[in-house]
Amino acid sequence: MSRTALRHYRPWTPYLFVAPFVLLMLTFLIWPAIRGVWMSLHNWDFMLPGKPWVGLQNYRDLFDSGSVIFQPFWNGMQNTFLFVLISVPFLVTVPLGLSLLLNRKFPGRTFFRAVIFTPFVLGVAVVGVLFGYLFDPEVGLVNGLLSGIGLPKVAWLSSQPQAWITILITTIWWTIGFNAVIFLAGLQSLAQELYEAAELDGAGRWGQFRHITLPGLRNVFVFVLTTTILASANLFGQPYLLTHGGPGDSTTTAIMAMTNEGLRGFRMGTAAAMSYVLALALALVSIANFLLMRERK
Amino acid sequence: MTTLQDAAADRTTTQPDGGAGRRQRAYSRTRVGPLTYVAMTLISLIFVLPLLWMLLTTFKTETDARSIPIHIMPGQWTLRAYHLIFADAANPVYLWLANSLMVSVLHMLLVVAVASMAAYALSRMEFVGRKLLFGVLIATLFVPGFIFFMPNYLTMSTLGWLDSIWALVVPGAANAFGVFFLRQFFLAIPRELEESALIDGANSWTIFTRIVLPLSKPALVTLAVLSFLGAWNDFVWPVFVLFSPDKMTLAPGLATLQGAYTTDYPVVMAGATLAAIPVLILYVVVQRYVIEGVANSGLKG
């Protein structure tokens, strides 16, 4: 950044410009991040006046199979992990395929791009109740179509693995446009000349894809992969609206377990501890992901 | 980084609607035949048909919406579902609509105002603590949002913002995304304009509001739309901080509606349609800004 010879501001002007944002950041990001740690070290029941210090007990409880929070917490962690594992491959490859299709120049391309992005604009609440109706085991459109062609009805929401499949389909439908648009932008920033050169060298379409498109998309790919893992780990709205965490507690996610404990049960000390353990787990996954995806020679 | 700046630079020199520079750069290797259109149309139907189904359901009777075999068109068109949700005192959907609009507009204004000011200082001014602030801003982007649920719930309680729209308007505005987004754009604006205004005797505030902001319209619109959509669609936080029927917004309200009208799908779909229509209209109008905004977020990496 080249410094201008002219200074058009008084020494305190910059501070006035950043003050409103800094105030918000201190109040709603910095201070709560510290206060959360403090809360996690107490028996912080929102409904009770006394909040006794318990040290690391909340964390110990999370890892102690004899404690009441052990089962809900690890069930939530396990379910979240399972969803990340099954959803991320689809949520990355399906949009990549779509973006390749959209990357060709044809009239109406922008229109199709806009259509595919539409569900994401709607938000999880609309998508959740809509798919709850579509996958209703008795009167839903999906089972209606299945029985129309003579197939048996499927208990989409009340048995496994159907419940996860429903959540997966809903998530793909809702978010596919988001990643597709990011991949498409990545594809369009690739230099045309590389493809022309490859064609001259006799590379086929698969060869061009493997040796130009994929390497060229590496950074975008890592970005999409990372943000998708984090988004899937934050799964909440779809099971909240579709399965209510069931059948049993088989689709109760980590975020649901945490909010049940802290914002329904008001045991906020344990819930804060849960949030830090989950955040740590996600940080480890992100680091592992980064190391794995690093440029390999 | 450069890519985002290039895109920003493109848009300062061309009209806001001109993704023209981008279009020229886009490569086209293969001619597309009718097969591409067939494929694209089929794929588009996957996205359009469920929404059409949602809309059609709202005009059906309850039994019609539950009939097996499925009837695609309403047997008898009725506005019953809409009458019901607007008359239901326990679930005042018209208030939720008003609350959603209020929350989203206020949040949008707050984000744009606060982020643009901070971004201007960070892109144009030297001050002690600038590097530190920048570092802290980057760090906050890596912290997952659920970390703040418990402590911010307490803060809402202290401020008296529980069960009020302020709990949805204000805390989210601390997100650093907008500051980074606008800073990138401001950096691409040529300094000469500001310098000549300075020679004419303008102060920083005048330069910021009269020169920088008007030049940044595309970026400001993009951020405005993204923050409006974010507030409108926010789900997990409002589910827990709003509880009175008259304080609800549409997103958590839909969950309530789903619980109250378990089998009356036309009513639930009418609520969903009401929540969908404003954002769909907004999306149709400013579609390019939304998509370019999201597209650019991936190129930062």
Side-chain angles (χ1 to χ4, degrees), chain A residues 1-4 6 8-9 13-18 20-22 24-25 28-30 32-33 35-36 39 44 46 98 101-107 112-119 121-126 129-130 132-134 136 138-141 144 173 176 178 181-182 185-188 192 195 205 208 220 223 234 236-237 240-241 244 255 258-259 262-264 266 268 271-272 275-276 278-279 282, chain B residues 22-23 27-30 32 36-37 40-41 43-44 46-48 50-51 53-54 57 65-66 68 70 114 117-118 120-121 123 125-128 130 133 136-137 140 144 146-157 161 170-171 173-176 179 187 191 195 198 204-205 207-208 229 233 235-236 239-240 251 254-255 258 265 268-269 272 275-276 279-280 283 287 290-292 294-295 297-299:
Chain A
M1 188 160 85
S2 68
R3 276 212 57 187
T4 162
L6 292 160
H8 56 79
Y9 49 88
T13 307
Y15 298 105
L16 291 181
F17 269 86
V18 298
F21 184 80
V22 168
L24 285 172
M25 197 174 68
F28 300 110
L29 292 179
I30 310 290
R35 196 184 192 186
M39 289 169 75
W44 198 294
F46 185 66
L98 257 183
L101 209 61
L102 280 168
N103 191 35
R104 296 189 273 178
K105 206 175 198 172
F106 59 94
F112 287 124
R113 186 180 70 165
V115 168
I116 283 160
F117 194 80
T118 307
V121 177
L122 296 177
V124 73
V126 171
V129 296
L130 172 57
Y133 178 35
L134 294 177
D136 183 299
E138 293 308 316
V139 302
L141 180 63
W173 189 83
I176 198 170
F178 188 82
V181 160
I182 292 176
L187 287 172
Q188 294 185 342
Q192 165 84 62
Y195 288 96
R205 290 183 65 174
Q208 293 179 22
V220 176
F223 174 82
N234 273 287
F236 176 85
Y240 187 88
L241 291 160
H244 312 288
I255 301 280
M258 185 184 98
T259 49
L263 300 176
R264 289 268 185 261
F266 291 115
M268 297 182 136
S275 74
Y276 285 104
L278 177 60
L282 288 181
Chain B
R22 176 176 292 278
R23 210 172 301 142
Y27 75 91
S28 65
R29 292 179 296 130
T30 38
V32 300
T36 304
Y37 280 96
M40 286 316 304
T41 309
I43 292 170
S44 298
I46 295 174
F47 293 93
V48 173
L51 296 177
W53 185 249
M54 172 174 89
T57 304
R66 298 178 59 81
I68 294 288
I70 302 276
V114 165
M117 284 171 64
Y120 184 61
S123 68
M125 299 175 185
E126 297 285 344
F127 55 94
V128 179
R130 183 169 160 273
L133 177 60
V136 173
L137 280 177
T140 61
F146 56 75
I147 284 289
F148 306 107
F149 284 177
M150 304 305 143
N152 272 346
Y153 192 92
L154 291 187
T155 307
M156 294 303 102
S157 163
W161 286 359
V170 183
N175 190 317
V179 180
L187 284 175
R191 277 161 179 265
E195 282 164 8
L198 184 56
S204 335
W205 183 251
I207 293 173
F208 173 62
L229 290 175
N233 291 329
F235 186 68
V236 50
V239 157
F240 293 105
L254 285 181
Q258 190 197 42
Y265 281 113
V268 181
M269 292 303 110
V279 284
L280 285 180
Y283 178 58
Q287 173 259 118
V290 180
I291 291 185
E292 303 263 309
V294 169
S297 71
L299 294 177

Side-chain angles (χ1 to χ4, degrees), chain B residues 1 23 30 78 104 121 134 152 183 193 211 221 237 253 266 282:
Chain B
M1 284 297 193
R23 210 172 301 142
T30 38
T78 169
S104 307
F134 201 70
N152 272 346
R183 179 181 163 272
L193 285 165
I211 296 174
V221 172
W237 180 244
L282 181 70

Side-chain angles (χ1 to χ4, degrees), chain A residues 198-221:
Chain A
E199 220 152 58
L200 287 177
D201 290 346
R205 290 183 65 174
W206 171 245
Q208 293 179 22
F209 178 74
R210 263 203 57 190
H211 298 293
I212 301 174
T213 311
L214 280 186
L217 278 185
R218 174 179 281 279
N219 285 342
V220 176
F221 191 85

